[in-house]
Amino acid sequence: MGRRILITGIDTFWGSMTAKSFEADPTVETIIGLGTSDPKVELERTECLRADHSYSIVSRIIKSTKVDTVMHTFMATETSAFSGRMLNENNVIGTMNLLAAVGGSPSVKKLIVKSSSLVYGSSPQDPYFFDENSKRPSLPKLRIEKSMIEAESYVKDFAQDNPHITVTLLRFSNVIGENVTTAITKNLKKRILPYLFGFDPSIHLIDEEDVVSALVFAANSDLEGIYNVAGDERVPWSEIGSIAAARPIPLFAYATNLISAPLIKSGIVTITPELMDLMKYGRGINNTKIKQTGFSYKYTTSAAVAKFCKLNQLRINLGRAKPEYKYQKEIESFFKHSPAVIGESTTSNE
Amino acid sequence: MEKPTKSDQIKSVESKIVKLVDKVGDNEPESYRQSDVDRWGRSESIRKLTGKLFDPMYTKYFRAEWEGLEKIPTKGGALLVSNHAGAIPPDAPVIMHGIEKELNRPVYGLADFWFRTLPIAGTLWNRGGGVPAHPSNAYGILHDDQQLALVFPEGSKGPSKLYKERYQLRRFGRGGFVEIAMKSGVPIIPIAVVGAEEAMPILTKLPSISKALNLPYFPITLNQVLLTPFLGPILASVAYLPAKFKIRVLDPIHFDVPPDQARYSKTKILDESENIRLRIQDAIYDMLAHRKNPWLG
C-alpha cells in the first residue's frame, strides 16, 4: 500500500501546491485535501473536502481514511484576511482538533506543521539571527502571535506525548510570490512599499515555490523537530522596494495608525499590526539547520523579490490577471468517480 | 576598506570554484542584491562616506595617536575591549575609524540595543557598523565571520560618570564579553583610551529629564556651558572640545579553554574580566602620568 496523505488548508496556495506535487509522486496512493473553501489549483486525484474553521470533522476523516501522513498547512500566518476571533478559531482550536484526531489514530506516522517566524516577534532586543532554540526576548502582543505560540505549544506537547509520531514544525519567514496574498505582496502589486520614516530594518523573504518544496521535503524525509525556513540573505526594507521597482511611501513612525489613517483606511497602503513591528525592527532568521539536512533553496530573498517583480510587471502589462481556476464540485467528482470516465481525466488548460 | 583584501579575493575565487563544481548538482541560488548592506546591517559605502566626513575630526581635531597598533591582528576574529567616556562618547568612532584607516579592516561596534529604537540615527549607526550587543550577534561576527568587534563593557556607566570621576573605570558588566570571546575562540585585545573624558566632560546630570525623555542619562556638559553663547544650545550639546586622543593597544589575551562550550566557569570569567579591567586602568594611569595637558598631550 502506498502512502496516504491528508493535507489541511487545501484552499491555501501551499496546500494546493503541496497536493499537486504529491500527485506526481507514484509512491503516494491517496491524497485527501481539507479546506474551508475550494482549492485554488486544479487537482487531479486529490479528494477535496470542505470543513469549518475549527476543523471539527477531521477526526472522522482520519479514522475512516487511515492516513499515515498529516500536513497541517492551514495555520494563518498573516492577518490581512482574518478577523481576530477567526484567527483564534483557525489557529488554536483548529490545531487542537487536528492534534486530538491525529493522536487518536493508530495509522498516522508523521505530522508536519507549517508555522511562521512570527513566533519570534520583532523587537529591538532581538538577536540579529533567530535560530530554532532562540528565546523570544519580547512578550507577544499581537493576537496572531499569541495564537501561533499557543498552537506551537500544543504541537510541542503533542510531540512529547506521541514519540511514535515524527513531528516536524517548519517556521517560514514572510512569503513572497504572485499567488500569495499578504500585506507585503498587496503593496508590491501596486508597486508601492510603505516604510516607517527613519527606519530601514532587514528582513528575509521566501519564495512561494520554496515554501512548497520545503513542505514536500519534510514529508519525504525523516526530519524531526523545529526548522526555520527563510531565503538566504537578509535584505534591507528599502532595497526590497527598489528591487521590486516599488515607490516608497513614508509613514510616520509613531502613532502610525492614527496619523496615516487616511492612507490605510482608504486601502491605498495595506498595513497589518504584525507588519508594523517588522517595518521598525525587521527580523533575522538563521536558516542553516534545514540546509544541513540536504534541503536547498531555489531563491534567495532578493531573487524571490526580483521574480515577483517580473511576474507582476507581466500581469500589469497584460492588463489582466491570470485566468483563475474555479473549482466545480460536480465536474470534479464526475471525472474522479464516474464509471463513464475511462480515459485521461485532465483538462488541457494547465 | 574599499578594496577587497587578499583573503576576500581568495574566498571569492573559492566560491566561484565551488559554484562550478555545484553546477553538476544544484545551482547556488542567484542574488539580485542592489546595495552593499551586509547581514549585520553595515554598508561599506556608507561607512566610507562617514569615514571621509569623520577623518578631519580624527586627524586634525582629536589628533589621535596610536601605540601598539601592531598587536591587533590583520586577520581572524578578535574582541577589542576599551574604556568608555565623554557624554556622547567619541572613543567609539575614534577607535573604529582608526583601525579601519590604519589596518584596512572593518570593525563592528557592539552597543546597547537602545540605538535600534532611534529613527534615522539608529539606521545610520547600524549602516556604520553598529550592532546590538547580543551574545549571538557577537558570536556571529567573531566566530562565523572572523571579524573584529569592539565592545565597551562599562556600558552606559562609563560615559555617564561625572568629570570629577574621570578615568575611574566602572564595573565591567557581568563579564559577558569574556564568555563570548571564550565561546568564539578569539583573543581579547584591551585598549586604553585617553582624551575622551576631556572631549565632553559632564558637570552634572538631570535624572528627571532623562526619565521623562526615556534616555539612559541627561548630562549638562562643560561644552554646553562654554559654547552655547557661540554655537547655540543644540550645536553646543554635540560639539566636542579639542582634546588630544592617545590610544594604547595592550597585549592580547588568549584563553586556554576550548571554544563552543555551553558554559564556562563563572569564576574564571569574572577573574579574567577583572584582570582586563585592571590592565586597562593601569595603562590609563601610566598614560596620564606622562601627559602634560589634556589638549596637547
Side-chain angles (χ1 to χ4, degrees):
Chain A
M1 194 167 83
R3 291 154 72 198
R4 304 170 70 82
I5 300 178
L6 171 75
I7 300 171
T8 69
I10 197 75
D11 49 336
T12 63
F13 172 75
W14 5 92
S16 307
M17 289 309 286
T18 313
K20 207 174 164 70
S21 35
F22 282 130
E23 287 186 343
D25 186 343
T27 66
V28 177
E29 185 189 301
T30 310
I31 309 157
I32 301 142
L34 197 59
T36 51
S37 56
D38 293 329
K40 298 279 187 298
V41 179
E42 191 181 338
L43 295 170
E44 229 176 276
R45 58 187 183 101
T46 302
E47 306 282 345
C48 296
L49 277 160
R50 285 286 277 276
D52 59 86
H53 273 277
S54 55
Y55 279 64
S56 39
I57 60 158
V58 74
S59 153
R60 267 181 71 193
I61 296 169
I62 291 180
K63 270 194 194 116
S64 56
T65 54
K66 295 202 167 39
V67 290
D68 51 46
T69 304
V70 176
M71 313 268 306
H72 183 37
T73 72
F74 82 106
M75 264 215 267
T77 55
E78 226 257 349
T79 50
S80 65
F82 276 94
S83 72
R85 179 164 292 268
M86 234 157 70
L87 267 179
N88 184 62
E89 199 72 6
N90 194 75
N91 287 1
V92 182
I93 309 298
T95 303
M96 205 177 72
N97 281 338
L98 182 84
L99 292 176
V102 171
S105 136
S107 64
V108 179
K109 303 276 178 307
K110 196 158 172 54
L111 170 70
I112 291 138
V113 181
K114 176 179 169 291
S115 179
S116 156
S117 58
L118 211 56
V119 296
Y120 297 124
S122 184
S123 80
Q125 294 103 310
D126 290 350
Y128 254 49
F129 294 93
F130 279 109
D131 66 36
E132 287 79 356
N133 303 317
S134 300
K135 280 206 188 83
R136 183 190 164 114
S138 58
L139 286 172
K141 295 177 298 204
L142 306 174
R143 215 156 179 171
I144 181 148
E145 294 178 342
K146 284 184 191 157
S147 78
M148 297 206 82
I149 290 169
E150 210 176 334
E152 274 204 4
S153 77
Y154 288 149
V155 174
K156 282 175 206 160
D157 289 348
F158 176 85
Q160 252 173 26
D161 298 344
N162 298 278
H164 60 283
I165 299 177
T166 311
V167 180
T168 318
L169 184 68
L170 299 176
R171 286 183 184 147
F172 291 94
S173 70
N174 293 63
V175 187
I176 189 165
E178 55 151 8
N179 295 300
V180 288
T181 310
T182 69
I184 294 179
T185 60
K186 267 187 194 168
N187 287 312
L188 288 181
K189 271 187 183 158
K190 288 185 227 158
R191 290 208 262 198
I192 55 167
L193 190 65
Y195 72 100
L196 298 179
F197 183 75
F199 291 90
D200 191 15
S202 308
I203 62 161
H204 293 267
L205 290 171
I206 185 161
D207 188 82
E208 53 188 17
E209 280 180 49
D210 277 338
V211 174
V212 173
S213 59
L215 287 168
V216 174
F217 178 82
N220 291 341
S221 62
D222 302 321
L223 296 191
E224 187 160 22
I226 305 170
Y227 291 86
N228 286 339
V229 192
D232 283 335
E233 296 176 340
R234 199 179 163 186
V235 181
W237 191 259
S238 60
E239 198 182 335
I240 287 171
S242 65
I243 297 171
R247 176 195 295 272
I249 309 269
L251 303 177
F252 196 65
Y254 303 95
T256 317
N257 274 324
L258 202 68
I259 294 170
S260 312
L263 273 178
I264 298 169
K265 288 278 187 298
S266 66
I268 295 171
V269 298
T270 310
I271 300 280
T272 53
E274 65 272 18
L275 199 62
M276 211 63 112
D277 284 339
L278 198 69
M279 288 196 296
K280 217 171 199 174
Y281 303 119
R283 191 181 300 125
I285 296 151
N286 184 339
N287 67 358
T288 47
K289 189 180 166 193
I290 195 166
K291 278 201 245 175
Q292 281 157 5
T293 66
F295 177 74
S296 59
Y297 297 93
K298 203 169 159 200
Y299 298 93
T300 60
T301 297
S302 60
V305 178
K307 176 190 164 205
F308 176 85
C309 174
K310 229 191 257 168
L311 290 170
N312 190 40
Q313 269 161 5
L314 176 71
R315 186 183 58 85
I316 290 171
N317 288 330
L318 280 175
R320 59 187 144 85
K322 263 195 333 191
E324 218 171 272
Y325 167 71
K326 192 101 183 72
Y327 179 83
Q328 279 163 304
K329 204 168 179 185
E330 291 75 26
I331 296 178
E332 292 297 325
S333 74
F334 169 78
F335 281 120
K336 273 171 195 153
H337 305 296
S338 169
V341 177
I342 47 172
E344 275 291 303
S345 72
T346 30
T347 46
S348 55
N349 62 354
E350 235 326 273
Chain B
M1 58 192 127
E2 55 266 55
K3 276 187 198 153
T5 59
K6 194 119 205 173
S7 71
D8 281 344
Q9 283 172 353
I10 293 169
K11 250 187 213 161
S12 83
V13 170
E14 269 176 4
S15 72
K16 269 176 200 157
I17 294 169
V18 169
K19 265 184 200 167
L20 281 177
V21 173
D22 274 359
K23 271 230 160 96
V24 186
D26 256 339
N27 280 357
E28 185 91 341
E30 263 178 279
S31 176
Y32 289 79
R33 289 294 303 269
Q34 294 182 351
S35 79
D36 61 348
V37 177
D38 73 3
R39 67 191 193 114
W40 305 107
R42 181 194 160 97
S43 156
E44 228 29 79
S45 54
I46 292 178
R47 187 74 197 89
K48 221 169 89 182
L49 188 76
T50 53
K52 221 175 241 172
L53 293 174
F54 186 70
D55 194 60
M57 200 76 183
Y58 172 82
T59 45
K60 303 269 162 57
Y61 200 74
F62 291 138
R63 295 148 288 146
E65 205 178 295
W66 285 83
E67 194 185 323
L69 199 61
E70 71 285 349
K71 289 171 189 160
I72 298 173
T74 48
K75 62 178 173 206
L79 184 60
L80 313 173
V81 173
S82 168
N83 56 314
H84 208 22
I88 303 172
D91 37 22
V94 167
I95 296 174
M96 283 168 75
H97 181 75
I99 293 171
E100 299 195 353
K101 190 181 171 180
E102 315 288 347
L103 298 180
N104 198 19
R105 67 175 297 193
V107 183
Y108 291 87
L110 302 176
D112 197 272
F113 65 80
W114 172 76
F115 281 94
R116 276 180 93 175
T117 63
L118 302 175
I120 305 171
T123 306
L124 279 175
W125 167 78
N126 187 219
R127 294 289 175 270
V131 175
H134 191 284
S136 93
N137 297 347
Y139 181 82
I141 291 168
L142 295 169
H143 178 270
D144 302 344
D145 296 358
Q146 290 289 310
Q147 298 286 6
L148 296 176
L150 170 67
V151 70
F152 299 100
E154 290 172 276
S156 66
K157 296 189 293 307
S160 67
K161 62 185 186 289
L162 301 177
Y163 186 61
K164 61 178 185 200
E165 303 160 318
R166 64 188 176 278
Y167 297 117
Q168 304 294 316
L169 261 60
R170 302 284 130 183
R171 181 166 59 86
F172 266 20
R174 280 165 281 178
F177 68 104
V178 175
E179 191 167 9
I180 276 302
M182 287 175 168
K183 206 170 244 179
S184 314
V186 298
I188 281 185
I189 302 171
I191 294 176
V193 185
V194 161
E197 296 274 14
E198 286 84 6
M200 203 181 271
I202 300 182
L203 303 175
T204 187
K205 287 184 285 188
L206 304 175
S208 49
I209 297 189
S210 66
K211 228 175 236 168
L213 294 178
N214 202 14
L215 292 169
Y217 52 92
F218 190 89
I220 297 296
T221 63
L222 182 64
N223 310 42
Q224 287 168 324
V225 174
L226 291 178
L227 302 173
T228 303
F230 307 103
L231 300 173
I234 293 170
L235 266 182
S237 311
V238 294
Y240 289 114
L241 298 177
K244 165 86 177 168
F245 264 70
K246 284 197 171 172
I247 308 149
R248 184 185 285 178
V249 184
L250 311 180
D251 290 330
I253 298 156
H254 296 268
F255 303 104
D256 51 353
V257 289
D260 292 314
Q261 300 293 305
R263 218 187 287 266
Y264 291 90
S265 147
K266 207 75 194 157
T267 321
K268 192 165 166 62
I269 290 170
L270 290 175
D271 281 355
E272 293 285 1
S273 161
E274 187 54 20
N275 168 34
I276 291 163
R277 196 182 80 92
L278 289 176
R279 280 174 65 176
I280 296 176
Q281 183 73 75
D282 285 348
I284 287 173
Y285 285 153
D286 184 57
M287 288 157 87
L288 289 174
H290 290 92
R291 184 170 79 164
K292 289 188 193 80
N293 81 51
W295 320 110
L296 300 172

